[in-house]
Amino acid sequence: MFEATELNDRNRRAERLWRWLFGMMTGLLIVPVVLILGVLIVKGGPALSIDFLFTEPTDGMRAGGVFPALIGTIWLVAVALLVSVPIGVAAAVYLSEYAPDNWLTRLINLCIINLAGVPSIVHALFGVGAFVLFFKFGISILAASCTLAVLTLPVVIVATRESLQAVPQAFREACWNMGATRWQTIRRVVLPNSISGILTGVILEVSRTTGETAPIMFTGAVFLLPFLPQSVFDPTMAMSLHLFVVSTQVPGVPDELPYGVALVLIGMVLCMNALSIAFRVYLRGKKKW
Amino acid sequence: MANEVTPTVEHAIETSKLNLWYGTFQALFDVDLAIKNGIVTSMIGPSGCGKSTFLRSVNRIVERLGYVRTTGRIDVHGHDIFGEDVELVQVRKQVGMVFQRPNPLPLSIRDNVLFGARTHRLETKSTRDEIVQSALEQVLLWDSVKDRLGARATTLSLEEQQKLCIARLLPVKPRVLLMDEPCSALDPKGTEAVEELIWELRGQYTILIVTHNMAQARRASDECVFMLMGKVIEHTRTEEMFVAPAHRETADYIEGRYG
C-alpha cells in the first residue's frame, strides 16, 4: 500500500531537476569570486612583500610599493566616515523615530533611494562643482571624502533605519507608557538594541568606499605624490586610482605589479568585510530578545 | 499634580461626553463613566466595542496614532487630562499601563524596575536597591528573582514577565493602573497568579482592567462596565451584573449569545 505511484515518480524526478537547477545557479555565482581571487593571488602574489606595502613607488611607478596610496585610502575612508556617519545616523533616527508618516517623509525616502541610484561618476562631477570649486576645498582629501560621503550616505541611512525598525515596537510603547520621551526611549532602548546593525552598515560602507575610483579622481586623488598627505587639505594618492593608473596609464609596468595592487586593495575590502561579519556574530550573541 | 497631596477623591477617573474618532470611524460615543478610587473595575464587551480605546484614552497614549480626534472630558483624580497646562509625561507617570503581551524591556530585571524611576529622576544610588525590592515584593516576584536581578527580563516566564511589567510601574507611584487583557497571553496558572496580584494591589491603586474573560471579570473585580459598539451599556457592581443584569444586551453577552 505504500508503493510509489507513477505520479510520485514524476514528482520526484521534477524535484531532483529543480533542486539541481537552483544548485547550479548558486554554484555559478561562486565562479567569478573564485576566479578573481585565484587570478589575483597567482599573478599578484609574487609582487607582494612587506616592502611592497611600506615603500613608495619608484621608477615612474614601474617599481617600488604602494605605501602612499595605502595611507591615502585610509585617510579618504576615515574622513568620509567622519562626515557621513553622524549625518546618516541622525537622519535615519529622525526618519525612523520622529518623522510622521506623511507625503514629505515619503518624498524624503524617495530621494534617498534615488540618491543611492546616482552613478558614481555623476557624484564625482557634483563633488568637483560643490566641494572643490564652490566650497573652495581644492583638490584635497576633504573634497574627495565629502564626495564619498554623499555617495555612501544612502547606505548608512538605509542600514541604520532598518536596524532601528528591527527593534520591536512593543519596547517603544512600553517606554512611552512610562512617560519616557522619544529621546529617552531612543537612547536607552532603541539605540542599544540596534547598534550592531548600525555598525555593520557602517563597515559595509567602509568597504564600498575603499574601492570607489571615479568620485575621487577629480576631487582629491592624484597619480603620483612623492610625499604623504599632511592634512585634509592636501591631495593624496589612493589604492583604487593607483590600480587604474598602473594598469592603463603607464607603459612598461611589470606584469605582476597591477595584480599586486589589486590584491592589496581587495585584501583591504575583505578585511573590512571579515571584521563586519565577526562583529555581527559577536553582537548577535549578545542580542537581547 | 506631581507633588501636591490630593485629598482622597471618590472617583479616580471621571469622563463626560467622551467621543473618539479614528479618522472618520467613531469608536466611542458620549461615554460617561465614573471609576471609583481604589477598587478594581473590569471592562467587558465584544471585540471592537471600544474598551481598549477607552483604556488608551485615559493616559492619552491613543493620541500616538496621529489620526485620532477626541472630544469631551476625562478627569483623573479631579484634574482634566486635556487641560492646557497638562504635561503628557506626568499623565503617563500617574496612569500606568499593562499590555496584553508582556513587554519587558531588553534590559536586566533590575533595570526594568528602575526604568520609570530613572525616567522621572526618582532614584538615587542609595534608594535603588530599596526601590527594586519593594516593587518586586509588591508583585510577589521578589523571592523568585532576588538572586538573579541582573538576568535579562526576557529570560523570565511569561507570568513573571507580566508581573515585572506591573512592578516597573510602581516605583513612580501611579494613581491608576490600566490593564489591557493582562492575562490573555498566560496559561491558567499564570492567569490565577496575576489575578491574585491584582487583588493584592487593590486599595493602593485604582485598577481598570479590560478582559475578554467573563469568569475573570467576575472573580477579580469590584465593579464591571459593559460596553457595546462604543457605548457604555451598563456599569454596576460586578456580582449584580452577573446575577441580575439590567439590560437585555448585557444578559445576552454574559450568556455567550454573541461575543
Side-chain angles (χ1 to χ4, degrees):
Chain A
M1 83 197 245
F2 293 127
E3 298 82 17
T5 64
E6 199 181 326
L7 179 67
N8 294 145
D9 288 335
R10 197 151 16 105
N11 283 344
R12 191 146 28 118
R13 275 195 301 278
E15 179 68 22
R16 257 204 307 266
L17 179 71
W18 285 114
R19 188 196 160 95
W20 187 80
L21 198 71
F22 290 136
M24 277 303 292
M25 294 300 154
T26 313
L28 224 57
L29 188 140
I30 302 171
V31 172
V33 179
V34 173
L35 278 181
I36 290 173
L37 279 179
V39 167
L40 284 183
I41 289 169
V42 170
K43 292 200 166 183
L48 228 46
S49 66
I50 298 290
D51 273 357
F52 186 71
L53 291 179
F54 293 106
T55 58
E56 290 166 20
T58 51
D59 196 14
M61 286 186 276
R62 292 182 191 90
V66 294
F67 189 56
L70 194 68
I71 296 297
T73 291
I74 293 171
W75 266 96
L76 288 170
V77 171
V79 176
L81 277 182
L82 283 180
V83 175
S84 66
V85 170
I87 299 174
V89 171
V93 167
Y94 177 77
L95 287 172
S96 161
E97 305 297 316
Y98 291 94
D101 182 22
N102 58 22
W103 64 269
L104 184 61
T105 310
R106 284 194 286 269
L107 185 70
I108 293 172
N109 280 325
L110 197 69
C111 288
I112 293 168
I113 294 167
N114 280 314
L115 193 61
V118 172
S120 61
I121 187 69
V122 177
H123 277 290
L125 297 176
F126 167 76
V128 172
F131 301 117
V132 177
L133 300 176
F134 185 77
F135 287 114
K136 299 197 168 53
F137 293 162
I139 302 283
S140 63
I141 292 176
L142 188 60
S145 290
C146 286
T147 311
L148 287 176
V150 173
L151 175 78
T152 49
L153 258 179
V155 184
V156 177
I157 294 177
V158 170
T160 307
R161 199 179 46 189
E162 272 169 15
S163 43
L164 291 173
Q165 281 170 359
V167 175
Q169 193 63 16
F171 294 161
R172 295 186 182 86
E173 299 220 329
C175 292
W176 297 339
N177 270 287
M178 280 187 277
T181 60
R182 294 224 172 201
W183 171 237
Q184 285 170 323
T185 307
I186 292 165
R187 184 168 53 86
R188 289 168 58 190
V189 174
V190 179
L191 276 184
N193 283 291
S194 51
I195 198 76
S196 68
I198 295 172
L199 289 174
T200 313
V202 167
I203 297 171
L204 280 178
E205 184 210 347
V206 173
S207 65
R208 185 171 168 210
T209 312
T210 311
E212 284 294 345
T213 315
I216 58 172
M217 64 190 294
F218 307 126
T219 52
V222 291
F223 278 28
L224 181 60
L225 262 194
F227 53 86
L228 294 180
Q230 303 300 309
S231 79
V232 292
F233 297 105
D234 287 341
T236 181
M237 291 182 74
M239 287 302 289
S240 51
L241 184 65
H242 188 57
L243 174 59
F244 170 68
V245 171
V246 293
S247 338
T248 61
Q249 306 294 299
V250 184
V253 173
D255 265 357
E256 73 276 10
L257 186 70
Y259 287 105
V261 175
L263 195 56
V264 173
L265 180 59
I266 212 166
M268 289 174 83
V269 173
L270 288 182
C271 280
M272 302 293 190
N273 286 351
L275 193 70
S276 147
I277 291 167
F279 221 65
R280 193 186 273 263
V281 169
Y282 167 72
L283 285 164
R284 191 185 288 153
K286 290 178 52 175
K287 200 85 164 187
K288 292 149 184 143
W289 70 88
Chain B
M1 86 189 210
N3 296 312
E4 75 197 61
V5 182
T6 6
T8 319
V9 289
E10 194 195 347
H11 294 122
I13 306 168
E14 242 182 312
T15 71
S16 64
K17 296 256 170 295
L18 180 66
N19 288 281
L20 187 144
W21 291 263
Y22 292 112
T24 55
F25 173 78
Q26 188 167 3
L28 295 177
F29 293 84
D30 286 334
V31 172
D32 294 317
L33 266 179
I35 307 296
K36 287 206 186 75
N37 192 14
I39 65 166
V40 181
T41 304
S42 60
M43 303 189 82
I44 57 170
S47 302
C49 71
K51 46 193 199 310
S52 287
T53 298
F54 178 80
L55 211 63
R56 280 151 198 273
S57 306
V58 179
N59 73 350
R60 293 183 58 181
I61 202 78
V62 72
E63 292 165 24
R64 286 277 179 192
L65 308 167
Y67 49 92
V68 167
R69 193 161 61 86
T70 311
T71 65
R73 191 183 160 102
I74 303 177
D75 286 358
V76 173
H77 278 248
H79 296 259
D80 183 2
I81 64 164
F82 295 117
E84 263 175 32
D85 54 346
V86 162
E87 169 60 53
L88 268 185
V89 165
Q90 286 297 333
V91 174
R92 295 190 182 135
K93 180 182 154 202
Q94 302 287 350
V95 183
M97 167 109 60
V98 178
F99 293 84
Q100 185 168 358
R101 277 217 61 88
N103 57 350
L105 295 168
L107 306 167
S108 68
I109 295 173
R110 164 201 292 274
D111 287 339
N112 261 282
V113 177
L114 288 172
F115 190 94
R118 283 190 174 134
T119 300
H120 300 286
R121 302 269 149 107
L122 295 172
E123 50 97 49
T124 59
K125 234 184 191 115
S126 55
T127 58
R128 215 168 272 166
D129 292 336
E130 204 183 314
I131 289 172
V132 172
Q133 176 164 2
S134 129
L136 288 173
E137 273 172 354
Q138 282 187 73
V139 299
L140 317 172
L141 204 54
W142 175 249
D143 287 327
S144 59
V145 302
K146 66 180 172 206
D147 297 324
R148 46 177 176 137
L149 293 174
R152 276 217 186 293
T154 37
T155 60
L156 296 171
S157 73
L158 278 180
E159 169 199 333
E160 290 171 323
Q161 286 185 17
Q162 194 62 299
K163 285 178 168 178
L164 181 66
C165 290
I166 298 173
R168 72 178 173 197
L169 300 175
L170 306 182
V172 303
K173 305 203 166 33
R175 319 243 171 169
V176 177
L177 297 181
L178 305 171
M179 303 193 181
D180 194 354
E181 301 190 44
C183 299
S184 62
L186 308 181
D187 61 15
K189 199 182 130 285
T191 303
E192 195 187 324
V194 171
E195 278 176 18
E196 202 176 294
L197 168 61
I198 291 170
W199 213 239
E200 197 78 24
L201 295 172
R202 175 181 181 274
Q204 304 169 60
Y205 306 95
T206 304
I207 297 173
L208 186 57
I209 167 172
V210 161
T211 179
H212 262 114
N213 180 335
M214 226 81 69
Q216 178 172 68
R218 195 166 185 175
R219 278 195 302 267
S221 68
D222 298 288
E223 293 198 348
C224 191
V225 177
F226 173 64
M227 290 187 70
L228 187 63
M229 315 270 284
K231 296 189 180 88
V232 173
I233 304 293
E234 194 165 343
H235 176 194
T236 60
R237 297 198 52 74
T238 302
E239 61 259 39
E240 249 171 74
M241 182 172 296
F242 283 93
V243 173
H247 292 80
R248 171 101 223 138
E249 296 96 322
T250 318
D252 286 351
Y253 180 70
I254 288 170
E255 283 161 28
R257 268 175 234 155
Y258 59 89

